[in-house]
Amino acid sequence: MLGWQHGGAGLDHPALQPPTAMKAFCSRANPTTGAMEWEEEDEDYDYHQEIARSSYADMLHDKDRNEKYYSGIRAAVCRVKERGQKAIVLDIGTGTGLLSMMAAKAGADFCFAVEVFKPMADVAVKIIDKNGFSNKIKVINKHSTEVTVGPDGDMSCRANILVTELFDTELIGEGALPSYEHAHKYLVQEECEAVPHRATVYAQLVESERMWAWNKLLPIHVSLEGDSDKVIYPTKDMQLCAGSPCVYDIQLNQVNRNHFTALTMVTKMFSVDFSKAVSSSPAQHTVQVQATGSGQAHVLISWWDMEMDPEGSIRCTMAPYWAHPTPNNMQWRDHWMQCVYFLPQKLTVQEGEYLWISAIHDDYSLWYKMQRNSDECKAEVLSDRPLCSCQAHLMCNRQRFGELNDQQRNNAYIKALKTVYSLEISAVSRRVMQKILAANELMGKMIISEKSPEQLTPVDLDNNQISVLIGEPFFTTSLLPWHNLYFWYARTYLAKHLSREFTVLPQSATLLAIAVEFEDLWRIRAPCRECEGFDVNLMDEMIQNSLNFHECHEAEPHPLWEYSCRALTDPCQMLTFDFRHEVPEQSISSSGSMQLLRSGTCHGIVLWMDYSLTNDITVTTGLAKFHSQTGYCEWNPHNKQGVYFLRLEALQGTSTNKQDSIGYSVTFHPKTGELTLDFQQSL
């Protein structure tokens, strides 16, 4: 038997024209075939990728953010004017120039708009000019730490209003602290106004077996007929490992409230006043909290809000619904979400006991620890940063841990195995698997080879023929669902080693698709056109130009359990891949139409793979539950699905009806491993 796993992968406007294109050869690992390939790409490939995959459109659609910034800027300009001063604005990370235009319209005398990304700076100049503010705004194409002040500098004088949008889901992950620190030292006056004026980070301790399963490998229970159940245990170092230091940013509003229990109230951890000198030095903020419930403390969930004025009357919050001031009127956003921080080890807490929670940060990242004694919180600030010591976190991301810990999924794979040869190319993955085998006294029952399938020889198999070939399939190099078809190529490479009556698990895979109406996700690909009264059409055109450059007929990976949607069609089988046979030389194609059975706006097509382990056992990477009457979809939380967005113009489109359909044409190209997709709405 052989088990195999691989670990490890044209517009006319001058502002929108990239530099004269040249060709370059790029070496890439093909995630589907596994081959290293040289591809000829335009010199501007990275430029277009950056624009196409940016969050600019998402931010422009964030009406709550935009309105709060505008109100804060107007108030700041007013305060400066009331002091009899000229309002000089420094806008760091200007993007489209939106915040600078807000300031100019609010009465600022002059604005210096800093943008390091040249294509963005170029389009900002054109947008500012189109809106009639070029005489009041100067765009500086530099990193803010390189900006100079003086008669011959980028800025003629220091600013007295500092406006920035340098934040990510973790608040400080985009380098906000060093940028503010430098700006206060060299670019703004001492008593400057700041928009936002301050930001505050909040945390809440919770018990959640569901979230804890995203953090590390848990014991796997194996039920055997006629024998007692067995358990596969992670190694001791995996159990003691503090885990990955990386935050897990998710749409916390989509986590079922039944999947976690709050153990404390929402707690204010620390604030940063952006109107005063800011330090990027490491710091620790410790708060005493009282447990409101008993249970296992697994994670701290965290978010932040920002106040645009000193009084705190203009507030923009990232709080999830149960902590939000207006839970029935929440702004959806994807550029700022919520954070999950895993404790190094789960701890038992009792209702009423006092705990000390510490938020610790360096200049770019944040992490938490929890103690029962305040004296334990006085250690060196950076010494407690969680770091992986077991190597498993180098091999698995959060979704992969969740998948490995899914007992229902594991039950579909459990078979009685006597001898297994396992191919594992990744050295890290191989070491992790060997440790697990040793911890469970299985070293003599499984042989792990470092060779890739095409390198395997009869000697490596002790001159045995393979009777059973088994795989999940899962490959860390895969981004889209069909990239895991690498298993098919591996099976083909191994053909000469397979016995005549071999069995392969899974025996086949099916590509499925469904047309959906997204509640909110459509916004990331929809044109904005106008934002708070400013014309941003040039931004829409730049994004569309970059999408057309390389991705106009490609799908994007998204974890759809975080993004509500409603199906307008029933699931449709696109292609089937039979692993009992080798990869064919000819392309596999399918075309037809999907009937729209429910009214709504069709924003795009969701694609995923189902794997048939046997004739009656199937595992899915996509639709976990589907209600045909309402179109309600529940998605597999351990996998990303492929989303093919319809043209941007269509995302502003009219509602479909039951007489409409979605025409499709799908082709798999075995030579390259590529999947070409085309979907068109037929009215």
Side-chain angles (χ1 to χ4, degrees):
M1 177 175 291
L2 181 67
W4 192 78
Q5 179 186 18
H6 173 67
L11 296 169
D12 295 330
H13 200 290
L16 308 179
Q17 289 289 345
T20 303
M22 296 178 64
K23 297 292 184 179
F25 284 96
C26 302
S27 175
R28 292 191 180 92
N30 186 312
T32 308
T33 66
M36 291 298 298
E37 299 172 348
W38 287 94
E39 295 184 9
E40 188 180 51
E41 296 285 5
D42 282 348
E43 188 180 45
D44 307 312
Y45 175 78
D46 289 338
Y47 153 89
H48 288 290
Q49 288 284 84
E50 177 76 15
I51 294 294
R53 299 183 184 277
S54 70
S55 296
Y56 294 120
D58 179 31
M59 289 186 286
L60 293 177
H61 281 292
D62 189 341
K63 189 167 181 61
D64 178 62
R65 162 195 177 270
N66 299 335
E67 288 179 346
K68 300 293 175 57
Y69 260 103
Y70 209 170
S71 296
I73 288 169
R74 281 195 291 257
V77 171
C78 183
R79 289 193 298 273
V80 170
K81 294 286 190 178
E82 286 175 350
R83 296 197 291 263
Q85 302 174 355
K86 285 188 174 181
I88 308 299
V89 176
L90 171 61
D91 174 10
I92 299 178
T94 194
T96 59
L98 176 66
L99 302 185
S100 287
M101 292 190 293
M102 288 178 176
K105 193 168 183 179
D109 293 278
F110 200 79
C111 303
F112 298 100
V114 180
E115 176 55 53
V116 68
F117 185 39
K118 189 177 188 310
M120 198 69 249
D122 291 343
V123 80
V125 169
K126 298 302 178 180
I127 290 174
I128 289 166
D129 180 63
K130 189 172 183 178
N131 284 275
F133 294 106
S134 56
N135 63 328
K136 280 197 167 187
I137 302 172
K138 176 185 178 182
V139 176
I140 302 169
N141 180 209
K142 286 184 176 181
H143 193 281
S144 64
T145 57
E146 299 174 348
V147 172
T148 57
V149 179
D152 299 320
D154 302 304
M155 299 170 60
S156 56
C157 62
R158 286 182 177 238
N160 54 13
I161 301 177
L162 176 57
V163 178
T164 66
E165 208 284 55
L166 299 172
F167 314 113
D168 65 351
T169 293
E170 204 174 16
L171 182 66
I172 63 174
E174 291 185 1
L177 296 181
S179 296
Y180 271 109
E181 184 176 44
H182 178 271
H184 277 285
K185 284 182 179 178
Y186 303 106
L187 304 179
V188 298
Q189 299 174 17
E190 263 190 50
E191 300 298 323
C192 76
E193 301 286 345
V195 182
H197 181 82
R198 74 175 64 85
T200 301
V201 174
Y202 302 87
Q204 187 172 27
L205 186 68
V206 303
E207 176 183 61
S208 176
E209 293 288 349
R210 172 66 65 93
M211 295 187 198
W212 190 244
W214 298 335
N215 184 45
K216 56 178 63 180
L217 189 63
L218 304 177
I220 298 173
H221 295 266
V222 181
S223 298
L224 301 174
E225 293 182 10
D227 199 352
S228 59
D229 288 357
K230 296 191 180 299
V231 180
I232 299 175
Y233 292 99
T235 62
K236 194 69 174 178
D237 63 339
M238 291 180 188
Q239 297 176 42
L240 298 176
C241 179
S244 168
C246 300
V247 61
Y248 191 24
D249 52 336
I250 63 172
Q251 293 282 359
L252 202 53
N253 290 318
Q254 297 302 314
V255 177
N256 191 312
R257 196 62 200 268
N258 295 327
H259 290 160
F260 68 96
T261 302
L263 298 178
T264 65
M265 301 293 287
V266 175
T267 303
K268 177 181 173 180
M269 295 305 302
F270 67 93
S271 294
V272 182
D273 187 336
F274 297 124
S275 69
K276 299 177 181 178
V278 173
S279 173
S280 63
S281 299
Q284 177 171 306
H285 310 271
T286 301
V287 178
Q288 185 188 55
V289 298
Q290 187 174 24
T292 57
S294 300
Q296 295 289 315
H298 291 118
V299 303
L300 280 143
I301 51 180
S302 181
W303 60 89
W304 51 269
D305 65 23
M306 54 185 175
E307 295 168 343
M308 300 297 185
D309 61 331
E311 297 76 26
S313 61
I314 308 169
R315 182 168 172 254
C316 183
T317 181
M318 276 19 88
Y321 64 88
W322 66 87
H324 201 281
T326 56
N328 296 322
N329 186 29
M330 294 177 60
Q331 171 72 53
W332 181 87
R333 48 175 65 97
D334 205 43
H335 55 105
W336 296 329
M337 295 184 280
Q338 294 81 36
C339 302
V340 174
Y341 295 93
F342 299 93
L343 294 175
Q345 296 295 327
K346 61 182 179 181
L347 298 171
T348 301
V349 300
Q350 299 296 327
E351 182 178 356
E353 77 169 303
Y354 286 95
L355 308 166
W356 279 262
I357 297 176
S358 297
I360 311 159
H361 69 80
D362 54 22
D363 48 352
Y364 280 91
S365 59
L366 180 69
W367 62 97
Y368 284 87
K369 69 177 181 180
M370 187 190 80
Q371 305 289 347
R372 288 192 167 87
N373 189 324
S374 61
D375 293 335
E376 298 176 4
C377 300
K378 297 177 181 178
E380 290 295 323
V381 168
L382 289 181
S383 63
D384 293 320
R385 181 173 184 174
L387 293 172
C388 174
S389 58
C390 71
Q391 298 185 315
H393 296 85
L394 305 179
M395 181 180 76
C396 300
N397 59 19
R398 303 297 187 190
Q399 289 176 319
R400 179 58 173 161
F401 276 122
E403 188 173 50
L404 291 173
N405 291 322
D406 186 336
Q407 189 63 48
Q408 183 177 352
R409 175 184 176 277
N410 290 338
N411 288 341
Y413 280 95
I414 292 171
K415 301 289 180 181
L417 305 175
K418 289 185 178 180
T419 303
V420 179
Y421 292 89
S422 176
L423 302 188
E424 183 50 73
I425 299 172
S426 164
V428 173
S429 301
R430 193 164 59 250
R431 287 194 294 269
V432 170
M433 290 180 66
Q434 287 170 335
K435 289 194 296 183
I436 294 174
L437 293 176
N440 290 275
E441 300 180 349
L442 295 172
M443 283 299 287
K445 297 185 178 181
M446 181 180 289
I447 301 169
I448 301 176
S449 173
E450 64 183 14
K451 293 187 176 181
S452 61
E454 60 269 31
Q455 296 173 329
L456 205 66
T457 67
V459 174
D460 299 312
L461 298 173
D462 293 334
N463 293 309
N464 292 318
Q465 290 277 289
I466 299 167
S467 59
V468 178
L469 176 64
I470 186 170
E472 294 192 57
F474 168 82
F475 307 101
T476 57
T477 52
S478 299
L479 297 176
L480 291 161
W482 44 92
H483 288 166
N484 287 322
L485 286 174
Y486 182 41
F487 176 77
W488 199 10
Y489 288 84
R491 172 260 180 269
T492 302
Y493 296 142
L494 293 168
K496 60 186 176 183
H497 302 295
L498 300 176
S499 64
R500 183 173 298 180
E501 300 297 331
F502 77 96
T503 299
V504 59
L505 282 76
Q507 62 185 22
S508 65
T510 302
L511 176 70
L512 296 102
I514 197 168
V516 301
E517 176 182 51
F518 286 110
E519 184 175 337
D520 294 297
L521 188 62
W522 61 271
R523 300 175 194 276
I524 69 170
R525 289 292 171 261
C528 187
R529 300 195 176 99
E530 185 179 282
C531 184
E532 298 304 308
F534 300 99
D535 185 341
V536 292
N537 272 289
L538 287 171
M539 181 65 190
D540 296 333
E541 293 172 14
M542 182 172 71
I543 292 174
Q544 185 59 63
N545 184 39
S546 291
L547 287 168
N548 290 342
F549 179 79
H550 196 265
E551 299 188 344
C552 56
H553 294 298
E554 291 188 7
E556 306 172 14
H558 290 282
L560 291 187
W561 74 268
E562 296 186 52
Y563 305 102
S564 297
C565 66
R566 187 174 64 91
L568 302 182
T569 67
D570 284 346
C572 178
Q573 292 188 6
M574 300 276 113
L575 299 174
T576 297
F577 310 93
D578 191 342
F579 300 154
R580 292 168 295 188
H581 303 284
E582 297 179 29
V583 176
E585 295 183 1
Q586 296 77 25
S587 296
I588 306 172
S589 300
S590 175
S591 61
S593 63
M594 296 186 288
Q595 187 67 38
L596 290 162
L597 304 175
R598 303 164 197 91
S599 297
T601 300
C602 185
H603 295 127
I605 314 300
V606 179
L607 301 108
W608 71 96
M609 300 284 278
D610 279 359
Y611 293 95
S612 297
L613 303 185
T614 64
N615 291 334
D616 55 357
I617 301 176
T618 300
V619 293
T620 184
T621 64
L623 203 55
K625 290 183 181 178
F626 176 62
H627 299 274
S628 58
Q629 288 187 336
T630 63
Y632 169 77
C633 299
E634 185 175 322
W635 298 97
N636 184 318
H638 311 312
N639 301 98
K640 291 183 179 181
Q641 292 73 42
V643 179
Y644 181 105
F645 286 104
L646 297 181
R647 292 285 184 176
L648 294 184
E649 314 87 67
L651 301 188
Q652 305 284 320
T654 58
S655 179
T656 63
N657 58 62
K658 295 183 181 181
Q659 282 70 49
D660 300 339
S661 63
I662 301 291
Y664 65 85
S665 177
V666 180
T667 302
F668 177 71
H669 304 276
K671 185 176 180 180
T672 63
E674 293 181 355
L675 189 74
T676 55
L677 305 165
D678 186 41
F679 294 92
Q680 300 289 336
Q681 184 171 332
S682 304
L683 304 178

